[in-house]
Amino acid sequence: MQILKSPNSCLFSPRESLASSQTLNLFKYLINRFTSEFDPMELLGRGAFGRVYKAKHKMLNNVYYAVKVVRCEEKSLREMGTLSELLHPNIVRYYTFWVEDSGYRNPELADGALSFFSRTSSNSSAKYFYIQMELCDTKTLKHWIVEKNKESLQDSKRREEGHSITEQIVSAVEYIHSKRHVHRDLKPENILFGLDGKAKIGDFGLVTQDDDGDDNALMERSRERGTHSYMAPEQREKKYDRKVDIFALGLIYFEILWKLSTGHERAEVTELISSLTDLRTYKCDVRISFF
Ligand SMILES: Nc1ncnc2c1ncn2[C@@H]1O[C@H](COP(=O)(O)OP(=O)(O)OP(=O)(O)O)[C@@H](O)[C@H]1O
């Protein structure tokens, strides 16, 4: 029997050598699952906490995903926990997640040494979540609104498409609330378009639990961030509930259908929606009465 000599002078038979190379591959896979399983193709975007890559699955033909790489923190755990519970055509689909010791970075993908990776590199114990999600278009509802604002407001296509997009978002928010979650950061930038053309709510980084069963109870919450311009007045306080999402939806609906050019127009709309606090519901009659 031929005996192989390993670099560290242990002796391996061919069978042992095969077993050890398989173990090594498994080890490499566990350490670098992202690059073992996927070919990272493109940096799709970066947020305050992470980066999102377009990645091709190595073993599947023409199957692409969005993989978000974020530091392991409570916020990202909350995001994954919620996403894993949700399955809806208008919510960015989550597949799975895993943890690695380092955050992927590739200068060839315009992925410079900026942001959270370099900031955290001094912390050798930092771990990273890799969240495998449905790949969407990089153009969000924000882009859609900016494009439509360049066109005439009389454009009937804006209304037609706008109503369809609104219905899809409302359906997703209803579903999120039915699962007793509050998104808390609804805004056009967080509404993506799937490759199937459907509107999809993403970025569940601020998601929280709604109250347990009592629709009228207001939960005591840590006063958390969100996006100021879409935030319901009560969200700046400690007690609020899912209606904060309906408030943001109301503003988004206005922006989808109308060009809010000035701060004054925006303030008027915000005031109108605030005055409807008690009516904030998904019901069509309220949505129609906005106009
Ligand atoms: N599933 C996806 N498919 C395609 N692009 C995506 C997907 N998810 C995110 N992106 C892109 O990556 C960018 C960064 O997303 P990410 O959720 O990390 O940041 P963010 O929305 O700015 O949130 P944060 O509030 O955490 O900073 C988004 O703006 C979007 O353009």
Side-chain angles (χ1 to χ4, degrees), residues 62-114:
N62 291 324
V63 178
Y64 298 88
Y65 295 95
V67 178
K68 182 166 173 171
V69 187
V70 278
R71 265 196 73 181
C72 293
E73 275 172 7
E74 199 197 323
K75 174 183 145 74
S76 25
L77 201 56
R78 201 165 49 191
E79 179 172 10
M80 282 180 310
T82 305
L83 274 175
S84 65
E85 271 181 48
L86 305 176
L87 187 60
H88 188 279
N90 301 112
I91 293 176
V92 174
R93 179 149 176 215
Y94 155 93
Y95 291 96
T96 189
F97 84 94
W98 64 93
V99 178
E100 294 187 21
D101 283 337
S102 55
Y104 176 80
R105 191 171 71 196
N106 182 348
E108 282 173 25
L109 301 182
D111 191 1
L114 294 167

Short mmCIF file of all heavy atoms in Angstrom, two decimals, residues 62-114:
data_model
loop_
_atom_site.label_atom_id
_atom_site.label_comp_id
_atom_site.label_asym_id
_atom_site.label_seq_id
_atom_site.Cartn_x
_atom_site.Cartn_y
_atom_site.Cartn_z
N ASN A 62 -28.29 29.49 -13.92
CA ASN A 62 -29.03 30.77 -13.98
C ASN A 62 -29.97 31.01 -12.80
O ASN A 62 -31.08 31.49 -12.99
CB ASN A 62 -29.86 30.85 -15.28
CG ASN A 62 -28.95 30.97 -16.46
OD1 ASN A 62 -27.92 31.63 -16.37
ND2 ASN A 62 -29.32 30.32 -17.55
N VAL A 63 -29.54 30.63 -11.62
CA VAL A 63 -30.36 30.92 -10.45
C VAL A 63 -29.59 31.94 -9.58
O VAL A 63 -28.46 31.67 -9.14
CB VAL A 63 -30.68 29.65 -9.64
CG1 VAL A 63 -31.51 30.01 -8.40
CG2 VAL A 63 -31.48 28.67 -10.52
N TYR A 64 -30.20 33.08 -9.41
CA TYR A 64 -29.54 34.19 -8.72
C TYR A 64 -30.30 34.55 -7.45
O TYR A 64 -31.52 34.43 -7.39
CB TYR A 64 -29.49 35.43 -9.63
CG TYR A 64 -28.70 35.18 -10.89
CD1 TYR A 64 -29.33 34.65 -12.02
CD2 TYR A 64 -27.34 35.46 -10.95
CE1 TYR A 64 -28.61 34.40 -13.17
CE2 TYR A 64 -26.61 35.22 -12.10
CZ TYR A 64 -27.25 34.69 -13.21
OH TYR A 64 -26.54 34.44 -14.34
N TYR A 65 -29.55 35.01 -6.47
CA TYR A 65 -30.15 35.45 -5.21
C TYR A 65 -29.57 36.80 -4.82
O TYR A 65 -28.55 37.23 -5.35
CB TYR A 65 -29.83 34.45 -4.09
CG TYR A 65 -30.46 33.10 -4.31
CD1 TYR A 65 -29.74 32.06 -4.91
CD2 TYR A 65 -31.78 32.87 -3.93
CE1 TYR A 65 -30.32 30.82 -5.12
CE2 TYR A 65 -32.37 31.64 -4.14
CZ TYR A 65 -31.64 30.62 -4.73
OH TYR A 65 -32.22 29.40 -4.94
N ALA A 66 -30.23 37.42 -3.84
CA ALA A 66 -29.62 38.57 -3.18
C ALA A 66 -29.15 38.04 -1.83
O ALA A 66 -29.92 37.39 -1.12
CB ALA A 66 -30.66 39.66 -2.98
N VAL A 67 -27.89 38.27 -1.50
CA VAL A 67 -27.38 37.82 -0.21
C VAL A 67 -26.94 39.06 0.58
O VAL A 67 -26.09 39.82 0.12
CB VAL A 67 -26.21 36.82 -0.37
CG1 VAL A 67 -25.67 36.40 1.00
CG2 VAL A 67 -26.67 35.59 -1.14
N LYS A 68 -27.59 39.25 1.71
CA LYS A 68 -27.27 40.40 2.54
C LYS A 68 -26.27 39.97 3.61
O LYS A 68 -26.46 38.95 4.27
CB LYS A 68 -28.57 40.91 3.18
CG LYS A 68 -28.42 42.14 4.03
CD LYS A 68 -29.80 42.73 4.30
CE LYS A 68 -29.76 43.87 5.28
NZ LYS A 68 -31.03 44.57 5.39
N VAL A 69 -25.20 40.73 3.75
CA VAL A 69 -24.17 40.42 4.74
C VAL A 69 -24.20 41.51 5.81
O VAL A 69 -23.96 42.68 5.51
CB VAL A 69 -22.77 40.38 4.07
CG1 VAL A 69 -21.73 39.88 5.06
CG2 VAL A 69 -22.78 39.52 2.83
N VAL A 70 -24.55 41.11 7.02
CA VAL A 70 -24.65 42.09 8.12
C VAL A 70 -23.98 41.55 9.37
O VAL A 70 -23.89 40.35 9.57
CB VAL A 70 -26.12 42.40 8.53
CG1 VAL A 70 -26.75 43.40 7.66
CG2 VAL A 70 -26.95 41.16 8.65
N ARG A 71 -23.55 42.46 10.20
CA ARG A 71 -22.98 42.04 11.49
C ARG A 71 -24.05 41.38 12.34
O ARG A 71 -25.20 41.78 12.31
CB ARG A 71 -22.45 43.25 12.23
CG ARG A 71 -20.97 43.44 11.96
CD ARG A 71 -20.37 44.37 12.96
NE ARG A 71 -20.23 43.74 14.26
CZ ARG A 71 -19.75 44.37 15.31
NH1 ARG A 71 -19.38 45.62 15.20
NH2 ARG A 71 -19.63 43.77 16.46
N CYS A 72 -23.66 40.36 13.07
CA CYS A 72 -24.62 39.69 13.96
C CYS A 72 -25.00 40.66 15.07
O CYS A 72 -24.15 40.98 15.91
CB CYS A 72 -24.00 38.46 14.61
SG CYS A 72 -23.64 37.15 13.49
N GLU A 73 -26.20 41.12 15.01
CA GLU A 73 -26.69 42.01 16.05
C GLU A 73 -28.16 41.71 16.24
O GLU A 73 -28.79 41.09 15.40
CB GLU A 73 -26.52 43.47 15.62
CG GLU A 73 -25.14 44.00 15.95
CD GLU A 73 -24.87 45.37 15.38
OE1 GLU A 73 -25.81 45.96 14.83
OE2 GLU A 73 -23.73 45.81 15.49
N GLU A 74 -28.71 42.24 17.33
CA GLU A 74 -30.10 41.96 17.64
C GLU A 74 -31.00 42.39 16.48
O GLU A 74 -31.93 41.70 16.10
CB GLU A 74 -30.47 42.71 18.90
CG GLU A 74 -31.71 42.14 19.56
CD GLU A 74 -32.29 43.11 20.55
OE1 GLU A 74 -31.50 43.80 21.22
OE2 GLU A 74 -33.53 43.18 20.62
N LYS A 75 -30.66 43.54 15.88
CA LYS A 75 -31.48 44.08 14.80
C LYS A 75 -31.57 43.08 13.64
O LYS A 75 -32.64 42.81 13.12
CB LYS A 75 -30.85 45.40 14.32
CG LYS A 75 -31.48 46.03 13.11
CD LYS A 75 -30.72 47.30 12.71
CE LYS A 75 -30.67 47.52 11.22
NZ LYS A 75 -31.83 47.97 10.56
N SER A 76 -30.41 42.50 13.27
CA SER A 76 -30.43 41.59 12.13
C SER A 76 -31.09 40.26 12.49
O SER A 76 -31.72 39.62 11.64
CB SER A 76 -29.03 41.38 11.55
OG SER A 76 -28.04 41.62 12.49
N LEU A 77 -30.97 39.87 13.75
CA LEU A 77 -31.62 38.63 14.19
C LEU A 77 -33.14 38.80 14.13
O LEU A 77 -33.87 37.92 13.68
CB LEU A 77 -31.19 38.34 15.64
CG LEU A 77 -31.34 36.91 16.10
CD1 LEU A 77 -30.58 35.97 15.19
CD2 LEU A 77 -30.82 36.76 17.53
N ARG A 78 -33.58 39.99 14.53
CA ARG A 78 -35.01 40.30 14.51
C ARG A 78 -35.51 40.28 13.06
O ARG A 78 -36.55 39.72 12.75
CB ARG A 78 -35.17 41.70 15.09
CG ARG A 78 -36.51 42.03 15.60
CD ARG A 78 -36.47 43.26 16.46
NE ARG A 78 -35.74 44.36 15.85
CZ ARG A 78 -35.40 45.47 16.51
NH1 ARG A 78 -35.69 45.60 17.76
NH2 ARG A 78 -34.77 46.45 15.90
N GLU A 79 -34.70 40.86 12.16
CA GLU A 79 -35.07 40.92 10.75
C GLU A 79 -35.23 39.51 10.18
O GLU A 79 -36.22 39.19 9.53
CB GLU A 79 -33.99 41.69 9.97
CG GLU A 79 -34.27 41.78 8.49
CD GLU A 79 -33.32 42.71 7.75
OE1 GLU A 79 -32.30 43.13 8.35
OE2 GLU A 79 -33.59 43.01 6.58
N MET A 80 -34.26 38.63 10.50
CA MET A 80 -34.32 37.28 9.96
C MET A 80 -35.46 36.48 10.57
O MET A 80 -36.13 35.74 9.89
CB MET A 80 -33.01 36.56 10.23
CG MET A 80 -31.98 36.99 9.26
SD MET A 80 -30.46 36.17 9.55
CE MET A 80 -30.20 36.40 11.25
N GLY A 81 -35.62 36.66 11.89
CA GLY A 81 -36.69 35.93 12.58
C GLY A 81 -38.03 36.25 11.94
O GLY A 81 -38.83 35.35 11.66
N THR A 82 -38.26 37.52 11.66
CA THR A 82 -39.54 37.91 11.07
C THR A 82 -39.65 37.42 9.64
O THR A 82 -40.65 36.81 9.25
CB THR A 82 -39.67 39.45 11.09
OG1 THR A 82 -39.48 39.90 12.41
CG2 THR A 82 -41.02 39.89 10.57
N LEU A 83 -38.59 37.65 8.85
CA LEU A 83 -38.65 37.25 7.44
C LEU A 83 -38.92 35.75 7.30
O LEU A 83 -39.65 35.33 6.41
CB LEU A 83 -37.33 37.59 6.75
CG LEU A 83 -37.23 39.01 6.19
CD1 LEU A 83 -35.82 39.26 5.65
CD2 LEU A 83 -38.25 39.24 5.08
N SER A 84 -38.35 34.97 8.22
CA SER A 84 -38.52 33.52 8.10
C SER A 84 -39.96 33.10 8.37
O SER A 84 -40.38 32.02 7.99
CB SER A 84 -37.57 32.78 9.03
OG SER A 84 -37.91 33.09 10.35
N GLU A 85 -40.72 33.97 9.03
CA GLU A 85 -42.13 33.65 9.32
C GLU A 85 -43.06 34.08 8.20
O GLU A 85 -44.23 33.75 8.19
CB GLU A 85 -42.59 34.45 10.55
CG GLU A 85 -42.38 33.81 11.86
CD GLU A 85 -42.91 34.74 12.94
OE1 GLU A 85 -44.04 35.24 12.83
OE2 GLU A 85 -42.14 34.99 13.87
N LEU A 86 -42.56 34.95 7.31
CA LEU A 86 -43.45 35.57 6.33
C LEU A 86 -43.30 34.96 4.95
O LEU A 86 -42.19 34.81 4.44
CB LEU A 86 -43.17 37.08 6.24
CG LEU A 86 -43.24 37.87 7.56
CD1 LEU A 86 -42.85 39.33 7.32
CD2 LEU A 86 -44.64 37.80 8.16
N LEU A 87 -44.42 34.63 4.37
CA LEU A 87 -44.40 34.14 2.99
C LEU A 87 -45.57 34.80 2.28
O LEU A 87 -46.74 34.47 2.53
CB LEU A 87 -44.53 32.61 2.98
CG LEU A 87 -44.37 31.95 1.63
CD1 LEU A 87 -43.01 32.24 1.01
CD2 LEU A 87 -44.57 30.44 1.74
N HIS A 88 -45.26 35.78 1.44
CA HIS A 88 -46.30 36.55 0.79
C HIS A 88 -45.73 37.07 -0.53
O HIS A 88 -44.56 37.48 -0.57
CB HIS A 88 -46.72 37.72 1.70
CG HIS A 88 -47.91 38.47 1.21
ND1 HIS A 88 -47.82 39.44 0.22
CD2 HIS A 88 -49.22 38.39 1.54
CE1 HIS A 88 -49.03 39.93 -0.02
NE2 HIS A 88 -49.90 39.30 0.77
N PRO A 89 -46.54 37.07 -1.61
CA PRO A 89 -45.99 37.50 -2.91
C PRO A 89 -45.48 38.94 -2.93
O PRO A 89 -44.71 39.31 -3.79
CB PRO A 89 -47.16 37.32 -3.89
CG PRO A 89 -48.38 37.15 -3.04
CD PRO A 89 -47.91 36.60 -1.72
N ASN A 90 -45.91 39.75 -1.95
CA ASN A 90 -45.49 41.16 -1.95
C ASN A 90 -44.52 41.47 -0.81
O ASN A 90 -44.42 42.61 -0.36
CB ASN A 90 -46.70 42.08 -1.92
CG ASN A 90 -47.61 41.85 -3.10
OD1 ASN A 90 -48.72 41.37 -2.96
ND2 ASN A 90 -47.09 42.10 -4.29
N ILE A 91 -43.84 40.43 -0.34
CA ILE A 91 -42.77 40.62 0.65
C ILE A 91 -41.54 39.90 0.11
O ILE A 91 -41.65 38.77 -0.39
CB ILE A 91 -43.18 40.01 2.01
CG1 ILE A 91 -44.35 40.82 2.59
CG2 ILE A 91 -42.00 40.02 2.99
CD1 ILE A 91 -44.92 40.28 3.89
N VAL A 92 -40.40 40.58 0.17
CA VAL A 92 -39.17 39.98 -0.35
C VAL A 92 -38.98 38.61 0.31
O VAL A 92 -38.98 38.50 1.53
CB VAL A 92 -37.94 40.88 -0.05
CG1 VAL A 92 -36.66 40.19 -0.47
CG2 VAL A 92 -38.08 42.22 -0.76
N ARG A 93 -38.83 37.59 -0.52
CA ARG A 93 -38.79 36.23 0.03
C ARG A 93 -37.43 35.93 0.65
O ARG A 93 -36.38 36.25 0.09
CB ARG A 93 -39.09 35.23 -1.09
CG ARG A 93 -39.03 33.84 -0.58
CD ARG A 93 -39.94 32.89 -1.26
NE ARG A 93 -39.70 31.57 -0.71
CZ ARG A 93 -39.76 30.46 -1.40
NH1 ARG A 93 -40.09 30.50 -2.67
NH2 ARG A 93 -39.53 29.32 -0.82
N TYR A 94 -37.52 35.34 1.83
CA TYR A 94 -36.31 34.94 2.54
C TYR A 94 -36.14 33.45 2.36
O TYR A 94 -37.11 32.70 2.40
CB TYR A 94 -36.52 35.31 4.02
CG TYR A 94 -35.73 34.51 4.99
CD1 TYR A 94 -34.49 34.96 5.43
CD2 TYR A 94 -36.22 33.30 5.48
CE1 TYR A 94 -33.76 34.21 6.34
CE2 TYR A 94 -35.49 32.56 6.39
CZ TYR A 94 -34.26 33.01 6.81
OH TYR A 94 -33.54 32.28 7.71
N TYR A 95 -34.90 33.00 2.15
CA TYR A 95 -34.66 31.56 2.00
C TYR A 95 -34.00 30.96 3.24
O TYR A 95 -34.52 30.06 3.87
CB TYR A 95 -33.84 31.26 0.76
CG TYR A 95 -34.61 31.53 -0.50
CD1 TYR A 95 -34.48 32.74 -1.17
CD2 TYR A 95 -35.52 30.60 -1.00
CE1 TYR A 95 -35.22 33.01 -2.31
CE2 TYR A 95 -36.27 30.85 -2.13
CZ TYR A 95 -36.11 32.07 -2.78
OH TYR A 95 -36.86 32.34 -3.89
N THR A 96 -32.83 31.48 3.57
CA THR A 96 -32.13 30.93 4.73
C THR A 96 -31.06 31.91 5.21
O THR A 96 -30.84 32.95 4.57
CB THR A 96 -31.49 29.56 4.39
OG1 THR A 96 -31.00 28.96 5.58
CG2 THR A 96 -30.34 29.69 3.42
N PHE A 97 -30.42 31.59 6.30
CA PHE A 97 -29.28 32.39 6.74
C PHE A 97 -28.23 31.48 7.37
O PHE A 97 -28.52 30.35 7.74
CB PHE A 97 -29.70 33.47 7.73
CG PHE A 97 -29.80 32.98 9.15
CD1 PHE A 97 -28.72 33.12 10.02
CD2 PHE A 97 -30.95 32.36 9.62
CE1 PHE A 97 -28.80 32.65 11.34
CE2 PHE A 97 -31.03 31.89 10.92
CZ PHE A 97 -29.96 32.04 11.78
N TRP A 98 -27.02 31.97 7.44
CA TRP A 98 -25.96 31.27 8.15
C TRP A 98 -24.99 32.32 8.70
O TRP A 98 -25.11 33.50 8.41
CB TRP A 98 -25.24 30.28 7.21
CG TRP A 98 -24.53 30.91 6.06
CD1 TRP A 98 -23.21 31.29 6.02
CD2 TRP A 98 -25.08 31.22 4.77
NE1 TRP A 98 -22.93 31.83 4.79
CE2 TRP A 98 -24.04 31.80 4.00
CE3 TRP A 98 -26.35 31.08 4.19
CZ2 TRP A 98 -24.24 32.22 2.69
CZ3 TRP A 98 -26.53 31.51 2.88
CH2 TRP A 98 -25.48 32.07 2.14
N VAL A 99 -24.07 31.83 9.52
CA VAL A 99 -23.13 32.75 10.18
C VAL A 99 -21.71 32.44 9.72
O VAL A 99 -21.35 31.28 9.55
CB VAL A 99 -23.22 32.56 11.71
CG1 VAL A 99 -22.21 33.46 12.43
CG2 VAL A 99 -24.62 32.86 12.22
N GLU A 100 -20.94 33.47 9.46
CA GLU A 100 -19.51 33.29 9.16
C GLU A 100 -18.70 34.23 10.05
O GLU A 100 -19.24 35.21 10.57
CB GLU A 100 -19.23 33.57 7.68
CG GLU A 100 -19.89 32.56 6.75
CD GLU A 100 -19.47 32.72 5.28
OE1 GLU A 100 -18.42 33.33 5.00
OE2 GLU A 100 -20.23 32.24 4.43
N ASP A 101 -17.40 33.91 10.12
CA ASP A 101 -16.55 34.73 10.99
C ASP A 101 -16.19 36.07 10.36
O ASP A 101 -15.78 37.00 11.06
CB ASP A 101 -15.23 33.98 11.28
CG ASP A 101 -15.47 32.90 12.31
OD1 ASP A 101 -16.44 33.02 13.08
OD2 ASP A 101 -14.70 31.92 12.34
N SER A 102 -16.26 36.14 9.02
CA SER A 102 -15.88 37.42 8.41
C SER A 102 -16.95 37.88 7.44
O SER A 102 -17.75 37.08 6.94
CB SER A 102 -14.53 37.27 7.68
OG SER A 102 -14.63 36.22 6.78
N GLY A 103 -16.93 39.18 7.16
CA GLY A 103 -17.88 39.78 6.23
C GLY A 103 -17.25 39.83 4.85
O GLY A 103 -16.15 40.38 4.70
N TYR A 104 -17.91 39.24 3.86
CA TYR A 104 -17.34 39.18 2.50
C TYR A 104 -17.06 40.58 1.97
O TYR A 104 -17.86 41.50 2.15
CB TYR A 104 -18.33 38.46 1.58
CG TYR A 104 -17.89 38.44 0.14
CD1 TYR A 104 -16.94 37.54 -0.30
CD2 TYR A 104 -18.42 39.36 -0.76
CE1 TYR A 104 -16.52 37.54 -1.62
CE2 TYR A 104 -18.01 39.36 -2.08
CZ TYR A 104 -17.06 38.45 -2.51
OH TYR A 104 -16.66 38.47 -3.80
N ARG A 105 -15.95 40.71 1.28
CA ARG A 105 -15.61 41.98 0.64
C ARG A 105 -14.80 41.70 -0.61
O ARG A 105 -13.94 40.82 -0.59
CB ARG A 105 -14.77 42.82 1.60
CG ARG A 105 -14.60 44.23 1.15
CD ARG A 105 -13.96 45.06 2.21
NE ARG A 105 -12.55 44.73 2.38
CZ ARG A 105 -11.83 45.07 3.42
NH1 ARG A 105 -12.39 45.72 4.42
NH2 ARG A 105 -10.57 44.77 3.49
N ASN A 106 -15.11 42.39 -1.69
CA ASN A 106 -14.38 42.17 -2.93
C ASN A 106 -14.20 43.49 -3.66
O ASN A 106 -15.17 44.03 -4.21
CB ASN A 106 -15.16 41.17 -3.80
CG ASN A 106 -14.44 40.85 -5.09
OD1 ASN A 106 -13.47 41.51 -5.45
ND2 ASN A 106 -14.91 39.83 -5.77
N PRO A 107 -12.96 44.02 -3.69
CA PRO A 107 -12.73 45.33 -4.32
C PRO A 107 -13.15 45.33 -5.79
O PRO A 107 -13.52 46.36 -6.35
CB PRO A 107 -11.23 45.55 -4.19
CG PRO A 107 -10.77 44.56 -3.18
CD PRO A 107 -11.75 43.43 -3.17
N GLU A 108 -13.12 44.14 -6.44
CA GLU A 108 -13.50 44.09 -7.86
C GLU A 108 -14.99 44.37 -8.06
O GLU A 108 -15.44 44.66 -9.15
CB GLU A 108 -13.15 42.73 -8.46
CG GLU A 108 -11.67 42.62 -8.75
CD GLU A 108 -11.28 41.24 -9.20
OE1 GLU A 108 -12.14 40.52 -9.73
OE2 GLU A 108 -10.10 40.89 -8.97
N LEU A 109 -15.77 44.24 -6.99
CA LEU A 109 -17.21 44.52 -7.11
C LEU A 109 -17.50 45.92 -6.57
O LEU A 109 -18.53 46.15 -5.96
CB LEU A 109 -18.02 43.48 -6.35
CG LEU A 109 -17.85 42.03 -6.77
CD1 LEU A 109 -18.76 41.12 -5.95
CD2 LEU A 109 -18.17 41.85 -8.25
N ALA A 110 -16.55 46.83 -6.79
CA ALA A 110 -16.71 48.21 -6.32
C ALA A 110 -17.01 48.23 -4.84
O ALA A 110 -17.80 49.03 -4.35
CB ALA A 110 -17.82 48.92 -7.09
N ASP A 111 -16.38 47.32 -4.15
CA ASP A 111 -16.72 47.09 -2.75
C ASP A 111 -15.54 47.52 -1.89
O ASP A 111 -14.82 46.70 -1.34
CB ASP A 111 -16.98 45.57 -2.63
CG ASP A 111 -17.60 45.23 -1.31
OD1 ASP A 111 -17.84 46.14 -0.53
OD2 ASP A 111 -17.81 44.03 -1.10
N GLY A 112 -15.34 48.84 -1.87
CA GLY A 112 -14.14 49.37 -1.22
C GLY A 112 -14.06 49.08 0.26
O GLY A 112 -14.98 48.53 0.85
N ALA A 113 -12.95 49.46 0.83
CA ALA A 113 -12.72 49.15 2.26
C ALA A 113 -13.44 50.11 3.18
O ALA A 113 -12.93 50.52 4.19
CB ALA A 113 -11.23 49.18 2.53
N LEU A 114 -14.64 50.51 2.79
CA LEU A 114 -15.37 51.48 3.59
C LEU A 114 -16.32 50.79 4.54
O LEU A 114 -16.37 49.59 4.64
CB LEU A 114 -16.20 52.38 2.66
CG LEU A 114 -15.39 53.27 1.74
CD1 LEU A 114 -16.31 53.84 0.68
CD2 LEU A 114 -14.74 54.40 2.53
#
